[in-house]
Amino acid sequence: MKRIENTNSGKERRKGDHYLITEEEIQSYKDLGYLVLNDVLTEEELSFLDPWFDHFMSGKEQERMGKDFCDMSQPYGTPIDEFQLVNAMLPSKYAPELKDNIFTKVAQSIADQLYTEGIAKMDYEQFLGKKPSKSRAEFAMHQDLGYWPKTKNTWTATFSLALTDSELENGCLQVVPGTNKEVELRKHKPISFNASKENDSRGDAHTLVIESKATDEIVYLPVKRGSITIHDERIVHGSGGNLAQTWRKTYVMAFRDAQTIKEERSMGFTHSHNDKLDWKDVIGE
């Protein structure tokens, strides 16, 4: 059976750049692999981010960004006007005005509460937009760790800020609680866009997929604009297409251990789709 979950939290938790979470929420995050927090950013704060999101979604930076501007539901090279799930990686790299924005600061305060074993730092960010009435604007079920090099410390907290209401109709985040506790990472393989041939390369697209298990129970995480979901690196998650007549807009930001980030960068891994890497060696495809 599929479940829908939301939680009560709110503006009273916020003081300046700090958003207070409870010990119970921290334990729930460790146990289940995700957390939902409401009313994290104000409308005034969101209004600063909105035009930057729209700027990147328009494709104005495509020439500079290369593969960092793509459709996560279709192959590289898909014409912009045919995009469905629009992905703009590392926006503050291409627009320094976004560095240390209010979302970064508030998310940092929450990451510091979730992670006390070391130093949490922002590793990467991305804008994700699902165009209106695009049923195929799906983000395939996956585990984030399947996309990354296997570092000594894999701890991660990935924040998804809703720039629009995120609902069942427009493809909100869906998770399989508890899969963060599975001993083995599930096998990921590059998505195939040719039904007659299995894909074994990430040259066509960045997207990876996994096989679901019969025991997987999906929980949907609808949130209002200004609220966030947080998930860890091992939980199985994804999202469905957008059946609504308006965009679904999300700002994603991942925090990891400072030493982990240093280890990644020493491999030449920056989370950019333009990284010059042998993915089979680094990711272990």
Side-chain angles (χ1 to χ4, degrees), residues 115-284:
Y115 186 57
T116 57
E117 295 83 1
I119 300 174
K121 291 183 64 176
M122 199 267 278
D123 188 13
Y124 76 92
E125 41 159 0
Q126 65 192 122
F127 284 142
L128 285 171
K130 295 188 179 189
K131 285 187 174 181
S133 304
K134 298 294 184 183
S135 61
R136 290 177 51 227
E138 300 175 336
F139 211 123
M141 297 296 280
H142 65 284
Q143 295 163 292
D144 288 344
L145 195 54
Y147 277 85
W148 305 333
K150 305 306 183 288
T151 52
K152 298 181 183 71
N153 182 346
T154 66
W155 180 89
T156 309
T158 299
F159 293 69
S160 296
L161 169 67
L163 295 176
T164 57
D165 289 354
S166 179
E167 303 167 325
L168 288 175
E169 186 182 24
N170 65 10
C172 67
L173 184 68
Q174 55 194 50
V175 299
V176 182
T179 47
N180 56 305
K181 295 289 190 179
E182 292 180 355
V183 176
E184 296 292 334
L185 196 70
R186 298 193 188 184
K187 182 172 177 56
H188 290 67
K189 63 181 181 179
I191 194 169
S192 177
F193 297 100
N194 186 337
S196 64
K197 182 176 73 170
E198 184 170 337
N199 190 15
D200 63 356
S201 168
R202 292 176 79 178
D204 294 337
H206 192 73
T207 307
L208 300 176
V209 296
I210 61 171
E211 290 185 4
S212 297
K213 296 181 179 179
T215 54
D216 287 346
E217 182 183 0
I218 292 175
V219 171
Y220 293 87
L221 306 180
V223 291
K224 296 297 183 182
R225 172 172 158 88
S227 300
I228 63 173
T229 61
I230 312 171
H231 65 268
D232 82 355
E233 72 275 21
R234 298 185 71 96
I235 192 171
V236 173
H237 66 286
S239 61
N242 184 3
L243 304 180
Q245 296 181 15
T246 54
W247 280 74
R248 181 196 157 199
K249 303 179 181 182
T250 309
Y251 189 1
V252 177
M253 192 172 289
F255 288 77
R256 310 193 79 195
D257 182 85
Q259 285 300 118
T260 297
I261 296 172
K262 185 177 180 180
E263 190 178 348
E264 285 181 333
R265 300 300 183 267
S266 71
M267 302 175 188
F269 185 82
T270 70
H271 294 276
S272 169
H273 295 191
N274 299 314
D275 285 343
K276 303 298 182 184
L277 299 168
D278 186 331
W279 292 105
K280 289 187 177 182
D281 287 344
V282 176
I283 306 297

Side-chain angles (χ1 to χ4, degrees), residues 11-181:
K11 299 172 184 176
E12 68 279 0
R13 297 185 181 216
R14 176 87 185 272
K15 295 195 182 299
D17 296 342
H18 185 75
Y19 189 99
L20 179 67
I21 59 175
T22 67
E23 290 297 328
E24 290 77 14
E25 287 170 329
I26 294 170
Q27 190 59 51
S28 180
Y29 178 80
K30 292 177 180 178
D31 292 342
L32 300 177
Y34 74 96
L35 188 61
V36 178
L37 298 174
N38 294 319
D39 301 317
V40 177
L41 262 60
T42 67
E43 191 59 37
E44 181 180 1
E45 290 163 345
L46 293 166
S47 68
F48 168 77
L49 299 174
D50 290 332
W52 282 111
F53 182 95
D54 294 340
H55 172 81
F56 279 96
M57 291 295 105
S58 71
K60 292 178 181 177
E61 302 288 351
Q62 182 184 32
E63 187 172 344
R64 273 205 308 152
M65 295 179 74
K67 290 182 177 180
D68 281 341
F69 182 74
C70 64
D71 185 332
M72 288 296 286
S73 67
Q74 298 188 84
Y76 290 131
T78 298
I80 294 179
D81 59 1
E82 295 179 15
F83 277 20
Q84 299 180 90
L85 175 52
V86 189
N87 176 42
M89 290 298 300
L90 311 177
S92 65
K93 170 184 175 181
Y94 299 100
E97 298 91 332
L98 278 167
K99 289 184 176 179
D100 298 320
N101 65 66
I102 188 61
F103 178 36
T104 311
K105 294 175 181 177
V106 175
Q108 178 73 64
S109 81
I110 298 169
D112 289 342
Q113 295 170 75
L114 288 172
Y115 186 57
T116 57
E117 295 83 1
I119 300 174
K121 291 183 64 176
M122 199 267 278
D123 188 13
Y124 76 92
E125 41 159 0
Q126 65 192 122
F127 284 142
L128 285 171
K130 295 188 179 189
K131 285 187 174 181
S133 304
K134 298 294 184 183
S135 61
R136 290 177 51 227
E138 300 175 336
F139 211 123
M141 297 296 280
H142 65 284
Q143 295 163 292
D144 288 344
L145 195 54
Y147 277 85
W148 305 333
K150 305 306 183 288
T151 52
K152 298 181 183 71
N153 182 346
T154 66
W155 180 89
T156 309
T158 299
F159 293 69
S160 296
L161 169 67
L163 295 176
T164 57
D165 289 354
S166 179
E167 303 167 325
L168 288 175
E169 186 182 24
N170 65 10
C172 67
L173 184 68
Q174 55 194 50
V175 299
V176 182
T179 47
N180 56 305
K181 295 289 190 179

